[in-house]
Amino acid sequence: MPEPAGTSGPAGSQQQSAVPAVPAHTIEAELIAVLVAVTDNEPRVLTIRNGSLLPSGPFETAHRSLQASLRAWVEQQTGHPLGYTEQLYTFADRDRSAEDAARRFISISYLALTRQASAEGNRPDIAWRSWYRYFPWEDWRDGAPPVIARVIAPRLRAWAAAGADPALRRERQQRARIAFGLNGQNWNEELVLQRYELLFEAGLAPEAIRRGDGDDRVLPGEPMLHDHRRILATGIARLRAKIKYRPVVFELMAESFTLLQLQRAVEALAGRLLHKQNFRRLIDSQALVEETGDVTTETGGRPAKLFRFRPQVLLERAVAGTKLPVTRTA
Amino acid sequence: MPEPAGTSGPAGSQQQSAVPAVPAHTIEAELIAVLVAVTDNEPRVLTIRNGSLLPSGPFETAHRSLQASLRAWVEQQTGHPLGYTEQLYTFADRDRSAEDAARRFISISYLALTRQASAEGNRPDIAWRSWYRYFPWEDWRDGAPPVIARVIAPRLRAWAAAGADPALRRERQQRARIAFGLNGQNWNEELVLQRYELLFEAGLAPEAIRRGDGDDRVLPGEPMLHDHRRILATGIARLRAKIKYRPVVFELMAESFTLLQLQRAVEALAGRLLHKQNFRRLIDSQALVEETGDVTTETGGRPAKLFRFRPQVLLERAVAGTKLPVTRTA
DNA sequence: AGAGCTTATACTCAGGATCAGCATAATGGG
DNA sequence: CCCATTATGCTGATCCTGAGTATAAGCTCT
């Protein structure tokens, strides 16, 4: 391992200027967007290249910030105004396939939410796809996906049993049990990334199979190029966690909506069904929405009241779940 | 603002190869570490250059990943083994001071936890400092810090009143009220970054005052160079949020500890006092620790049992706070 | 028009978690 | 041996959550 040049560097020169004279290596930076919308009760993600890649673009030094660069680029590429955006993760070990070792990429990934999900006509290779196409085992809205019991569970068990020593075998079993809710363990919808990485590690993801491995016992679920499916998993996990403590669902809703539509959107994201009455109680106990006064009859049965998001809540409180037993009296 | 060159790039060339021919600009990347330890019931952060900078180093392309690069660099610099690490944020709008506009930095910041906090002798400019030196208003362990009522609140009120229009004035008031718990609003210890950015925006942070502004009505609380104080605030906020749902405190504890020592560590991080009995109930209801069998008399009164962390919990469950009203029956 | 479907919305009740204080145990020091 | 100090156990009130029942109000079909 080469000595990192200059880190213990010339203290004298560093003392001079305010900016440390970091002899940084030059690299290339790209931005990758996980752009999410919900249409027809399906969580969708914007893809390019026939669904095999997430949209990505160069980091423009002309822009003031990364966010600005991302925003400009996505809007210009897709015609979509970007709503809420949030940084996901910065990867540098991007291209594990060893080719291109000399060129060094840094990939800065973002999660972005938007209201519209109509495919733009000018780029035929741009498409909104349900994210469950890539992760079919993540959709529990119709009960446990059969692929888990039929394919995933037995293969993970085999993988665990193939561990070199008892400790490793037990550890693999545990991880599989927790990630996929095996053996009566509860399903935890937030563990999207852990599940994907477990499948990857167990060699069940096509991305993990190198040329020459030759067995095609891969799972249902479309792969993506590079590590874009991993980035997508990161975005889904983040969003599933976030909807629980920040009112971000509304970024995905139309201006006005019924409570059931709101519930269906959350269910689409979380991949599981919610208890209707308790969901409503939760929503109005937090005073997140207000009635518009209108009703819609398009929902089928009794007309449903229409609601809109109260943007004031963003100012009224900073919803953060305190779980520490703080002393109130002191 | 100049048109971002290349964003509308040659769609044709992109169509050809699997890897988008990203016309990426070459930039320099550095890693910045918020390295945290708790000693003497004080949360401490590793600083260099007389406390004015967080440790930072170049991203080494020789390393496999960012984490590996960070780890190698910090350990080599400080002699500390890095415990738990987690990526914080990637900044590109780092040097707002407009100098050096041609050189472009990307700063990837990390939060890292470690057990030891003894200053290493070989680098005299390296020091562990209580983070409350930089954010005195964040320490509520002895009640509300006087600086809030005496200095911060009136100045923020003045800043709010100076807004151009009524809407802006009300918005500023709201933000100040929430961030600092004014007007009977509860204190929320997680809003570290919002508070710092509010003070920054209101011109109360020395970092925000440009040469020539000339007024020195700055707050107590040491500044740092560049935006390192902002990065530190990000790290503190992340850690304060994390201790509530992941057992990361133990990364900061000695091998064995008493329950009160554990509580004091959490209190140091959270900046507020906890209810002793409820804290204990919380800890053992989660089965996070187990008795070592020993006791210590060094704590003063009745000897306290010593505990150790049960690392199995990391495997047993993936503690994630479900807050959605899911249907259990379906 | 009314039966029967669908969806919307109100109310209730039990169990569990949390808040907060009180009581008791076991040390060391004057 | 009393007292200060810390550790630890216990209890009652309150709030939150899970889950079910009941009722309202539209539609379509006969």
Side-chain angles (χ1 to χ4, degrees):
Chain A
M1 188 175 300
E3 169 84 84
T7 44
S8 58
S13 78
Q14 290 199 11
Q15 228 72 300
Q16 297 296 37
S17 81
V19 183
V22 180
H25 300 222
T26 62
I27 49 182
E28 300 175 28
E30 65 170 350
L31 304 175
I32 302 185
V34 178
L35 186 52
V36 175
V38 175
T39 47
D40 305 323
N41 291 337
E42 276 298 303
R44 294 177 199 278
V45 61
L46 193 70
T47 60
I48 63 172
R49 208 66 63 75
N50 201 26
S52 64
L53 282 174
L54 295 170
S56 66
F59 166 50
E60 292 298 325
T61 56
H63 287 284
R64 258 213 324 274
S65 69
L66 289 172
Q67 294 254 359
S69 187
L70 177 83
R71 193 171 290 271
W73 174 79
V74 168
E75 290 181 359
Q76 191 256 5
Q77 277 289 297
T78 69
H80 276 287
L82 229 52
Y84 175 88
T85 69
E86 161 180 335
Q87 201 178 90
L88 275 179
Y89 204 80
T90 300
F91 303 89
D93 41 350
R94 177 171 167 271
D95 218 328
R96 317 192 204 188
S97 46
E99 59 178 286
D100 236 345
R103 265 174 98 203
R104 192 72 191 191
F105 270 104
I106 283 189
S107 304
I108 306 164
S109 57
Y110 280 83
L111 171 67
L113 307 180
T114 184
R115 285 202 163 92
Q116 315 152 23
S118 56
E120 308 309 307
N122 50 352
R123 288 283 303 265
D125 58 338
I126 290 186
W128 290 94
R129 299 230 168 153
S130 168
W131 71 36
Y132 295 121
R133 250 175 105 145
Y134 303 98
F135 305 101
W137 55 86
E138 294 290 345
D139 189 0
W140 282 60
R141 286 175 296 174
D142 300 316
V147 66
I148 293 180
R150 276 216 297 265
V151 186
I152 294 178
R155 290 200 189 162
L156 284 182
R157 266 191 270 274
W159 170 72
D165 57 294
L168 179 62
R169 286 196 287 275
R170 211 167 334 113
E171 194 210 300
R172 286 183 173 181
Q173 267 168 20
Q174 289 264 30
R175 286 174 58 200
R177 186 174 58 79
I178 293 169
F180 284 93
L182 308 179
N183 304 350
Q185 185 92 5
N186 284 336
W187 177 258
N188 184 337
E189 73 277 358
E190 290 185 27
L191 305 182
V192 186
L193 184 58
Q194 285 93 318
R195 282 189 279 271
Y196 175 70
E197 294 197 324
L198 198 63
L199 296 177
F200 192 96
E201 207 179 319
L204 303 181
E207 291 98 327
I209 298 172
R210 288 157 183 275
R211 203 194 303 276
D213 274 17
D215 79 328
D216 55 353
R217 311 187 317 147
V218 296
L219 288 180
E222 255 181 61
M224 289 180 132
L225 295 175
H226 309 309
D227 54 358
H228 282 207
R229 196 154 62 143
R230 183 159 66 110
I231 293 172
L232 177 55
T234 307
I236 297 173
R238 180 77 64 88
L239 186 51
R240 282 185 171 181
K242 199 112 192 175
I243 48 176
K244 291 173 184 168
Y245 60 98
R246 286 287 153 82
V248 288
V249 215
F250 302 103
E251 303 280 345
L252 301 165
M253 305 297 297
E255 189 57 36
S256 71
F257 46 84
T258 72
L259 290 180
L260 189 57
Q261 285 167 349
L262 182 65
Q263 181 182 340
R264 292 281 177 253
V266 175
E267 288 175 338
L269 299 176
R272 50 198 317 187
L273 297 178
L274 305 183
H275 189 277
K276 193 183 209 176
Q277 292 79 358
N278 292 343
F279 178 77
R280 281 150 187 261
R281 181 175 54 188
L282 190 72
I283 295 298
D284 86 26
S285 76
Q286 300 188 153
L288 292 175
V289 299
E290 62 191 4
E291 300 184 12
T292 67
D294 294 330
V295 295
T296 177
T297 61
E298 291 170 5
T299 53
R302 167 175 170 176
K305 289 181 191 163
L306 285 170
F307 292 83
R308 76 169 73 89
F309 178 58
R310 301 194 326 119
Q312 304 100 295
V313 299
L314 297 177
L315 278 176
E316 282 170 12
R317 14 156 228 266
V319 243
T322 169
K323 284 240 183 181
L324 289 180
V326 293
T327 53
R328 296 278 154 101
T329 43
Chain B
M1 188 176 298
E3 171 81 76
T7 46
S8 60
S13 77
Q14 291 200 10
Q15 228 72 302
Q16 297 295 36
S17 80
V19 183
V22 179
H25 299 222
T26 62
I27 48 178
E28 301 175 25
E30 66 170 348
L31 303 175
I32 302 185
V34 178
L35 185 52
V36 174
V38 175
T39 47
D40 306 324
N41 292 336
E42 276 298 304
R44 294 176 200 278
V45 61
L46 193 70
T47 61
I48 63 172
R49 207 71 63 76
N50 201 26
S52 64
L53 282 173
L54 294 170
S56 66
F59 166 50
E60 293 296 326
T61 56
H63 288 284
R64 257 213 326 273
S65 70
L66 289 172
Q67 294 253 0
S69 187
L70 177 82
R71 195 172 287 273
W73 173 80
V74 168
E75 290 180 359
Q76 191 253 8
Q77 277 290 293
T78 69
H80 276 285
L82 229 53
Y84 175 88
T85 69
E86 162 179 336
Q87 201 178 89
L88 275 179
Y89 205 80
T90 300
F91 303 91
D93 41 350
R94 179 170 166 270
D95 217 329
R96 317 191 203 190
S97 47
E99 60 176 287
D100 234 346
R103 267 175 96 202
R104 193 71 191 192
F105 271 105
I106 284 189
S107 304
I108 305 163
S109 56
Y110 279 83
L111 171 66
L113 307 181
T114 186
R115 285 202 164 93
Q116 314 151 24
S118 56
E120 307 310 307
N122 51 352
R123 287 284 302 262
D125 59 337
I126 289 185
W128 290 94
R129 300 231 168 155
S130 168
W131 71 35
Y132 295 122
R133 252 176 101 145
Y134 303 98
F135 304 102
W137 55 86
E138 294 289 346
D139 189 0
W140 281 59
R141 286 176 295 174
D142 300 315
V147 66
I148 293 180
R150 276 218 296 265
V151 185
I152 294 178
R155 289 199 191 164
L156 284 181
R157 265 191 271 274
W159 170 70
D165 58 293
L168 179 61
R169 286 196 286 276
R170 211 168 332 111
E171 193 210 299
R172 286 182 173 182
Q173 265 168 21
Q174 290 263 32
R175 287 175 58 202
R177 186 174 58 80
I178 293 168
F180 283 94
L182 308 179
N183 304 349
Q185 185 92 5
N186 283 337
W187 177 258
N188 183 337
E189 73 277 357
E190 289 185 27
L191 305 182
V192 187
L193 183 59
Q194 285 93 320
R195 281 188 280 272
Y196 175 72
E197 294 198 324
L198 198 63
L199 295 178
F200 193 97
E201 208 178 318
L204 302 182
E207 290 99 325
I209 297 172
R210 287 156 184 276
R211 205 195 301 274
D213 274 17
D215 78 328
D216 56 353
R217 311 187 318 147
V218 294
L219 288 180
E222 257 182 61
M224 289 179 131
L225 295 175
H226 309 310
D227 54 359
H228 282 206
R229 196 152 64 141
R230 182 160 66 108
I231 294 172
L232 177 54
T234 307
I236 297 173
R238 181 76 64 88
L239 186 51
R240 282 186 171 181
K242 201 111 191 177
I243 48 175
K244 291 174 184 168
Y245 60 97
R246 287 286 154 82
V248 287
V249 215
F250 302 102
E251 303 280 343
L252 301 165
M253 305 296 297
E255 189 57 37
S256 71
F257 47 83
T258 72
L259 290 180
L260 188 57
Q261 284 167 350
L262 182 65
Q263 182 181 341
R264 292 283 177 251
V266 175
E267 288 175 337
L269 299 176
R272 51 197 318 187
L273 296 180
L274 306 183
H275 189 277
K276 193 184 211 178
Q277 291 78 1
N278 292 343
F279 177 77
R280 280 150 188 262
R281 181 180 50 194
L282 190 73
I283 296 298
D284 86 28
S285 76
Q286 300 189 155
L288 292 175
V289 298
E290 62 192 2
E291 299 184 12
T292 66
D294 294 329
V295 295
T296 177
T297 61
E298 290 170 6
T299 53
R302 167 177 171 174
K305 288 182 192 163
L306 284 170
F307 292 83
R308 75 169 73 88
F309 178 58
R310 299 193 329 119
Q312 304 100 294
V313 299
L314 297 177
L315 277 176
E316 282 171 11
R317 12 157 227 265
V319 243
T322 168
K323 285 238 182 184
L324 289 178
V326 294
T327 54
R328 297 277 154 101
T329 44

